[in-house]
Amino acid sequence: MYTPEIAPVADSLLWSSLLAILPLLTIFVTLGALKWKAHWAGLTAVGVALVVAIAAYGMPVGLAALSATQGFAFGLFPIMWIVITAIWLYELTVRSGHFEDLRLVINVISDDPRIQAIIIAFCFGGLLEALAGFGAPVAITGVMLVAVGFTAMRAAVVVLVANTAPVAFGAIAIPIITAGTLTGIDYQDIGAMVGHQTPFLAAIVPLFLVMLVDGRRGLRQIWPLALVVGVVFGFAQYISSNFLSVELTDIIASLLGLAAVVVMLRFWKPKGGQDALDRMADEREHEDADAPDAGGVATDLKKETAPLTGSRIFLALFPYLLVIVIFSVAKLVPALNNWLASTDVAIPWPGLDGNILDSAGEASTSTIYNFQWLSSPGTLLLISGVVVAIVYKMTAKEALDVLVVNVVKMRFSILTVGSVLALAYVMNLSGQTITIGTWIAGTGAFFAFLSPILGWLGTAVTGSDTSANALFATLQQTAAHEAGLNPLLLVGANSSGGVLGKMVSPQNLTIAATAVGLLGKEASIFRRVIGWSLGMLVLMCLLVGLQSTVLSWMVPSA
């Protein structure tokens, strides 16, 4: 029986925290500074975490190893299962020849790549986050941007930065519901609090996307549309989370954001679209010359000149309409949602379950592996892919060949994500993560300013805002009581800060790199997004700090 200590090193929280943070420093330094391959960085960090768990925290060797195996299994299923099926669905459209038609349909709305980034990465990505989450938006929108002409690196960075504001309400608000379950605070109140925080991010993220696509020149030309879409999305998040439905927040916001694009383009035509297209074509040509075979998605699409017909438009949109329908029905019809949840199989991890207590001395629930064989978004994407293959009249052999080819391509990505989740489980079950969190929480009233950092840290380690809330929501609540702060504010801040850690999570970096064909380039992507992540984190910290003082009127009354 193992009970983690919060301060195992000389009874000092500071020294224990400095030791506990070594695995995180390992993965960030090896990725960002040493430019290692992501799977080597992940495996090395797991090794460091195991050494710290065993040598400093006194965790038995067997339990430490078993913690890593459970994390690795979770990385394979459901995380990589979702990514594999998401990219398989996309590749089916490419193999069948229908994806070029989707590119043409998007061009009908706008062929300006700066606007396409907003449509695909922000609006459609937000909708996918609302319905599926767990990496599916990054995988699907990444390959879509590459297919419409973006370079692989630019596509990866754009989708990672775009996948911020919707995350707190992702997968039908499961991060917020998780925080409510653990803290005993009504999740509707937590959702309302987050609805007073993330809309400020949503309002500016489209502006950032335009800068990422075309720099300051593009921002000068596109800012009215980007600002309108961001404000509409953010305002819809606020209204829905506070007055309509926490669960439907991102669905409503994404659809209204997309509608704002369509309506505004009917009355306003931006300048510089063709120049931006030409610059992107030149950049794509140079990238193809430098890396003719990156091992990524199939983007060698035939250029169709025949006019689009109604049937071609329908078939081009069909896979994504089908995904929306299947996920909406599965998530929003209570009877079906409950039935799918009832098929989950709870598996006490052999040798681990019952042998680990949490820091409060109670049996840890993290040692139960939840096998979502039917309710997983990956399985719903698999069902969608099977239907798409039938509608596209592809043979079973063709569809299976596409799947096998992609699994082989993604073998190192699978290893990376598995190792990152192994790292997270070792750190969590040994007590390293709680040590770091408790240390940060010991700053008194100043903790209001620092509280989003805990959420950022949790998501950066696990790749999931849901997991970040599972790790730190209760800690935020306890720290708030001790510091005389509003627990609702800090629990909400944990989720809002967590969304900004998603883009630097090794798990999500690998998903993005795999999707766009930049296997082994995760370190390069990391260096391009870390500044955006930290910059927005500072803004969120300032907002929460102000909401604890002069802007306290923004905190909903529970």
Side-chain angles (χ1 to χ4, degrees):
M1 187 70 67
Y2 171 73
T3 303
E5 292 183 52
I6 293 180
V9 181
D11 288 328
S12 167
L13 194 58
L14 173 61
W15 286 110
S16 300
S17 298
L18 292 176
L19 200 61
I21 208 168
L22 285 179
L24 300 182
L25 291 177
T26 298
I27 201 164
F28 288 136
V29 169
T30 52
L31 269 181
L34 302 181
K35 304 178 184 179
W36 286 13
K37 301 285 188 182
H39 56 279
W40 289 121
L43 290 171
T44 303
V46 173
V48 173
L50 287 170
V51 170
V52 172
I54 296 166
Y57 281 76
M59 191 178 197
V61 175
L63 294 181
L66 287 170
S67 299
T69 61
Q70 185 186 349
F72 194 89
F74 185 77
L76 299 184
F77 191 100
I79 302 300
M80 282 310 295
W81 175 236
I82 296 170
V83 179
I84 289 169
T85 51
I87 295 180
W88 176 62
L89 176 67
Y90 160 78
E91 292 280 12
L92 289 176
T93 68
V94 175
R95 181 74 70 93
S96 65
H98 287 285
F99 196 86
E100 172 64 9
D101 286 344
L102 179 61
R103 186 184 67 81
L104 296 175
V105 170
I106 295 173
N107 283 346
V108 169
I109 302 176
S110 175
D111 62 356
D112 189 321
R114 302 163 298 185
I115 298 176
Q116 288 178 338
I118 295 174
I119 294 172
I120 296 172
F122 188 70
C123 297
F124 186 59
L127 186 60
L128 289 174
E129 182 67 40
L131 296 170
F134 298 101
V138 170
I140 293 177
T141 59
V143 292
M144 289 178 73
L145 285 182
V146 171
V148 299
F150 280 62
T151 62
M153 181 61 70
R154 199 172 295 277
V157 174
V158 165
V159 297
L160 285 170
V161 173
N163 191 225
T164 49
V167 168
F169 298 99
I172 315 298
I174 194 64
I176 291 171
I177 292 172
T178 299
T181 301
L182 292 173
T183 61
I185 301 173
D186 189 338
Y187 79 89
Q188 304 279 2
D189 294 330
I190 299 174
M193 184 67 254
V194 175
H196 285 77
Q197 294 169 341
T198 59
F200 292 97
L201 293 177
I204 58 177
V205 165
L207 296 170
F208 294 160
L209 300 184
V210 172
M211 286 190 66
L212 286 169
V213 175
D214 200 29
R216 294 181 181 178
R217 170 176 41 198
L219 186 61
R220 287 194 300 269
Q221 295 171 337
I222 300 293
W223 73 265
L225 183 141
L227 186 60
V228 166
V229 174
V231 169
V232 168
F233 190 103
F235 187 67
Q237 273 194 330
Y238 165 71
I239 293 296
S240 181
S241 61
N242 280 267
F243 306 108
L244 299 177
S245 168
V246 173
E247 293 88 343
L248 300 181
T249 294
D250 275 346
I251 295 176
I252 295 171
S254 299
L255 293 177
L256 288 179
L258 182 59
V261 176
V262 175
V263 171
M264 190 163 180
L265 288 177
R266 291 179 62 88
F267 302 98
W268 178 78
K269 299 298 180 185
K271 298 179 180 179
Q274 186 57 52
D275 292 339
L277 271 173
D278 293 340
R279 287 190 292 272
M280 183 166 290
D282 291 341
E283 187 181 27
R284 180 68 176 266
E285 186 176 335
H286 285 115
E287 182 182 71
D288 291 342
D290 293 338
D293 184 14
V297 298
T299 55
D300 185 17
L301 306 174
K302 63 178 182 178
K303 300 302 179 183
E304 182 65 61
T305 58
L308 284 171
T309 62
S311 62
R312 285 175 58 192
I313 292 174
F314 172 75
L315 288 175
L317 296 174
F318 175 72
Y320 305 98
L321 295 174
L322 180 65
V323 167
I324 292 171
V325 170
I326 287 180
F327 276 90
S328 296
V329 172
K331 299 291 186 179
L332 302 180
V333 176
L336 182 57
N337 186 37
N338 292 336
W339 178 76
L340 287 172
S342 71
T343 65
D344 296 352
V345 180
I347 303 175
W349 201 252
L352 194 63
D353 185 58
N355 290 319
I356 291 187
L357 304 179
D358 59 24
S359 57
E362 299 178 357
S364 174
T365 58
S366 299
T367 57
I368 304 293
Y369 176 70
N370 191 24
F371 184 54
Q372 301 171 312
W373 67 276
L374 186 56
S375 65
S376 165
T379 304
L380 298 181
L381 285 168
L382 177 69
I383 294 170
S384 302
V386 171
V387 175
V388 166
I390 294 172
V391 171
Y392 283 173
K393 299 179 181 178
M394 299 178 69
T395 65
K397 182 180 179 181
E398 285 179 306
L400 184 60
D401 179 64
V402 173
L403 179 61
V404 172
V405 168
N406 277 302
V407 171
V408 172
K409 283 183 181 179
M410 296 169 64
R411 60 191 183 278
F412 290 117
S413 302
I414 293 170
L415 177 60
T416 299
V417 172
S419 63
V420 168
L421 268 297
L423 166 68
Y425 268 68
V426 172
M427 290 189 65
N428 296 344
L429 292 178
S430 66
Q432 296 172 55
T433 307
I434 292 298
T435 294
I436 300 169
T438 305
W439 176 50
I440 296 175
T443 53
F446 188 60
F447 181 56
F449 175 81
L450 299 177
S451 60
I453 297 176
L454 277 186
W456 182 91
L457 178 69
T459 305
V461 173
T462 65
S464 165
D465 197 39
T466 302
S467 298
N469 283 343
L471 284 173
F472 293 131
T474 304
L475 179 65
Q476 296 268 17
Q477 183 184 36
T478 302
H481 284 301
E482 293 176 356
L485 298 167
N486 191 323
L488 180 59
L489 171 64
L490 300 196
V491 172
N494 194 78
S495 197
S496 297
V499 307
L500 302 171
K502 190 128 181 171
M503 70 179 84
V504 296
S505 162
Q507 171 188 312
N508 264 30
L509 290 170
T510 300
I511 290 171
T514 303
V516 303
L518 290 177
L519 301 178
K521 299 290 185 181
E522 291 87 350
S524 297
I525 302 173
F526 172 79
R527 290 194 297 275
R528 284 170 170 81
V529 299
I530 181 64
W532 294 98
S533 177
L534 294 178
M536 285 190 276
L537 178 61
V538 170
L539 293 177
M540 182 57 66
C541 288
L542 288 172
L543 175 61
V544 174
L546 290 172
Q547 287 178 335
S548 72
T549 53
V550 295
L551 297 181
S552 58
W553 53 269
M554 294 182 67
V555 180
S557 55

